[in-house]
Amino acid sequence: MTILLLVSLTYFFYNFYFFRYVSIVMDMPRVKTRYILVTFVINYAVFILCTIIELHLIINWYIFFICLFVEVSLLCRGDRQRHIMVALSGVLVGLALNLFFRNVTAIIMKVPLSAFDNNFSLPGNAKQYPIALGFLCAGLWLFTVTHQQKNMKMQVVLKDKKSLKFFLILVLTMYGYLCLNLLVYYAPGDYLVLKLWELKASAVVMIGYYLALSFSYRMSRLEQFRAENYQAKLNLEMGKREEERLYSIAYQDQLTGCGTRQHAVDVLAEALEKGERFCLCFIDLNGLKTVNNELGHSFGDQYLYTVAQILRSHFRKHSDRLFRYGGDEFILMVYQTDPLDVRERMAEVAAELRASSESLENPYRMSVSFGLVNSTDYHDVDEMITEADRRMYEYKKKMKKE
């Protein structure tokens, strides 16, 4: 009676920390203690029943696995593969340690392995001692693992389906191997070589389980890093696109595709600071307000777009810079040239605007006024733009007189 109480206590210890372990690796709240007590009563009752009817050890351990699997499935959320994995891990460790202590006890007591089979009614059967030691050590292992939650490898493996499948196949193989080794307990005779073989088998499986879990964990971590790197790449691409979009809003006029007022100020300030040589042309559309009022803003927008396109066609695309400075104003930066050359090009622009006026697409008169300044005469952006604006208005007054 005392030994049965001892076995029940060690099994309760194992069962309690097994479900604590399950709660952690399944990433869920702790299984309530009353439910753990219910599973203990059920499992221990099954254990006693299997002992009384003297089932084969292989059948005994398969029934134990089925009990744990059903209980994990009922108490924990998640898919069936994860339930099988945690139940199988608990049974594998318990079986490996039980076999280890059965063989150690058989060597110490100098009795055959058949003394530790499931024929409890036979005289000399001493399986209760290694069973108690096995469950005690398995419980201690679970206790240790549950108190190292930061390094819970199983928790990581269970979240990666590919690694989980790989690990499950390995553990199933090891479990099948241990079950086959249970046949030795029904062999007649007392052979030391068989006991040493069983010791080797249980030790190999325990080491194999640790190595398989470690390798699967590394596979899972690599997959996590791969997924994180891919997500980081997507985030960088999204960030870049967002940056380009914001840049476009801040520095590119949506109607004409030219730079904005702020962009013009920034570029001019940088160019003056570097001492770059260029000619600044301040351009104003004549009659845009009249077109907007009489024909509508869609025609006004077409006017602005047409002027921007014609200006681009008469200046260098990759070196000269065009900005929309205001509602009807443009700023043109023409590099490595003099005002006379710019005047000639603006005369060509004016001619093309006249030729495009009063057409089906542009049913109004189009012309521009402009003022020119040279960058070598200025060190301040505002002063430079103000002077170019003043000269543009002088040009506009002259055009009206003519």
Side-chain angles (χ1 to χ4, degrees):
M1 189 65 186
T2 305
I3 191 62
L4 284 177
L5 180 62
L6 179 62
V7 172
S8 65
L9 288 174
T10 56
Y11 181 74
F12 176 78
F13 179 65
Y14 164 82
N15 192 77
F16 182 85
Y17 279 103
F18 170 74
F19 282 100
R20 285 285 184 263
Y21 171 78
V22 170
S23 300
I24 295 170
V25 298
M26 297 289 285
D27 199 18
M28 58 172 285
R30 280 187 173 186
V31 177
K32 294 180 179 179
T33 304
R34 64 174 178 269
Y35 294 143
I36 298 177
L37 285 171
V38 171
T39 61
F40 163 71
V41 171
I42 293 171
N43 294 342
Y44 199 68
V46 170
F47 169 75
I48 296 296
L49 181 62
C50 290
T51 301
I52 292 172
I53 62 179
E54 298 184 350
L55 287 177
H56 196 287
L57 283 174
I58 294 177
I59 298 174
N60 196 13
W61 281 96
Y62 271 109
I63 290 173
F64 183 41
F65 162 69
I66 291 169
C67 286
L68 287 186
F69 168 65
V70 171
E71 289 159 0
V72 170
S73 299
L74 292 174
L75 295 174
C76 306
R77 63 180 180 270
D79 57 75
R80 185 174 300 175
Q81 197 174 55
R82 296 172 71 195
H83 295 158
I84 293 173
M85 187 69 259
V86 292
L88 193 61
S89 293
V91 176
L92 181 73
V93 173
L95 177 55
L97 288 170
N98 264 274
L99 290 182
F100 180 82
F101 284 109
R102 285 179 195 233
N103 286 278
V104 170
T105 307
I107 292 171
I108 294 172
M109 295 177 65
K110 297 181 180 180
V111 295
L113 291 175
S114 58
F116 301 94
D117 63 14
N118 219 27
N119 296 322
F120 193 71
S121 59
L122 292 177
N125 190 292
K127 74 168 191 174
Q128 61 270 27
Y129 302 108
I131 286 176
L133 286 170
F135 281 128
L136 176 64
C137 289
L140 287 171
W141 172 75
L142 291 168
F143 173 82
T144 304
V145 172
T146 53
H147 284 78
Q148 294 178 345
Q149 296 183 25
K150 292 182 179 179
N151 301 313
M152 191 63 77
K153 294 179 180 179
M154 179 67 83
Q155 191 175 32
V156 176
V157 173
L158 289 177
K159 293 177 181 178
D160 179 24
K161 289 185 177 180
K162 189 183 295 184
S163 298
L164 174 58
K165 185 178 180 180
F166 171 78
F167 185 48
L168 182 57
I169 292 170
L170 291 179
V171 174
L172 278 170
T173 304
M174 287 185 281
Y175 185 61
Y177 172 68
L178 282 183
C179 286
L180 288 175
N181 276 271
L182 290 172
L183 294 173
V184 176
Y185 291 87
Y186 296 91
D190 183 12
Y191 300 103
L192 180 61
V193 66
L194 288 180
K195 297 173 186 178
L196 294 175
W197 172 269
E198 289 291 287
L199 276 176
K200 182 271 301 179
S202 55
V204 165
V205 166
M206 287 187 286
I207 295 170
Y209 177 81
Y210 172 78
L211 293 176
L213 179 59
S214 298
F215 184 75
S216 301
Y217 169 75
R218 290 178 183 177
M219 286 175 58
S220 300
R221 292 294 291 162
L222 285 173
E223 191 62 32
Q224 282 184 355
F225 292 146
R226 194 176 292 112
E228 289 169 3
N229 287 338
Y230 179 72
Q231 188 60 48
K233 182 181 177 183
L234 289 180
N235 292 339
L236 285 173
E237 290 176 353
M238 288 176 62
K240 187 177 180 180
R241 285 196 292 268
E242 181 65 14
E243 185 180 345
E244 290 173 352
R245 187 183 71 82
L246 293 174
Y247 180 88
S248 176
I249 292 172
Y251 290 103
Q252 187 177 49
D253 179 61
Q254 301 301 303
L255 174 63
T256 63
C258 302
T260 60
R261 182 191 187 104
Q262 184 58 51
H263 195 192
V265 172
D266 292 346
V267 172
L268 284 169
E270 185 179 358
L272 287 177
E273 185 179 350
K274 291 180 178 179
E276 294 177 353
R277 180 172 170 269
F278 62 92
C279 186
L280 176 68
C281 182
F282 195 98
I283 303 165
D284 181 81
L285 275 66
N286 298 322
L288 177 63
K289 185 176 180 180
T290 302
V291 171
N292 282 330
N293 292 338
E294 295 181 359
L295 300 176
H297 285 276
S298 60
F299 284 95
D301 290 345
Q302 181 61 34
Y303 188 0
L304 284 162
Y305 180 78
T306 301
V307 171
Q309 291 299 101
I310 291 174
L311 283 169
R312 283 195 185 97
S313 67
H314 286 274
F315 291 89
R316 292 164 295 187
K317 182 177 180 181
H318 299 292
S319 59
D320 300 331
R321 310 287 295 272
L322 181 64
F323 306 91
R324 186 179 174 188
Y325 192 71
D328 58 354
E329 298 167 336
F330 289 89
I331 280 181
L332 179 65
M333 293 175 65
V334 188
Y335 286 87
Q336 301 299 324
T337 189
D338 54 61
L340 181 61
D341 178 58
V342 177
R343 287 182 187 279
E344 290 176 356
R345 295 194 202 180
M346 288 302 297
E348 295 172 1
V349 168
E352 187 169 345
L353 286 172
R354 285 194 298 271
S356 301
S357 298
E358 309 295 343
S359 62
L360 185 64
E361 188 177 6
N362 302 294
Y364 39 80
R365 184 182 178 187
M366 295 186 294
S367 64
V368 295
S369 302
F370 63 91
L372 296 171
V373 293
N374 204 318
S375 63
T376 55
D377 300 327
Y378 300 91
H379 298 285
D380 181 74
V381 174
D382 291 335
E383 183 183 351
M384 187 179 189
I385 292 175
T386 300
E387 180 59 22
D389 183 45
R390 187 189 67 77
R391 293 183 185 184
M392 180 275 294
Y393 273 106
E394 287 183 356
Y395 183 88
K396 189 183 286 284
K397 289 177 183 179
K398 182 180 178 182
M399 285 182 66
K400 286 181 179 179
K401 289 178 180 180
E402 294 176 353

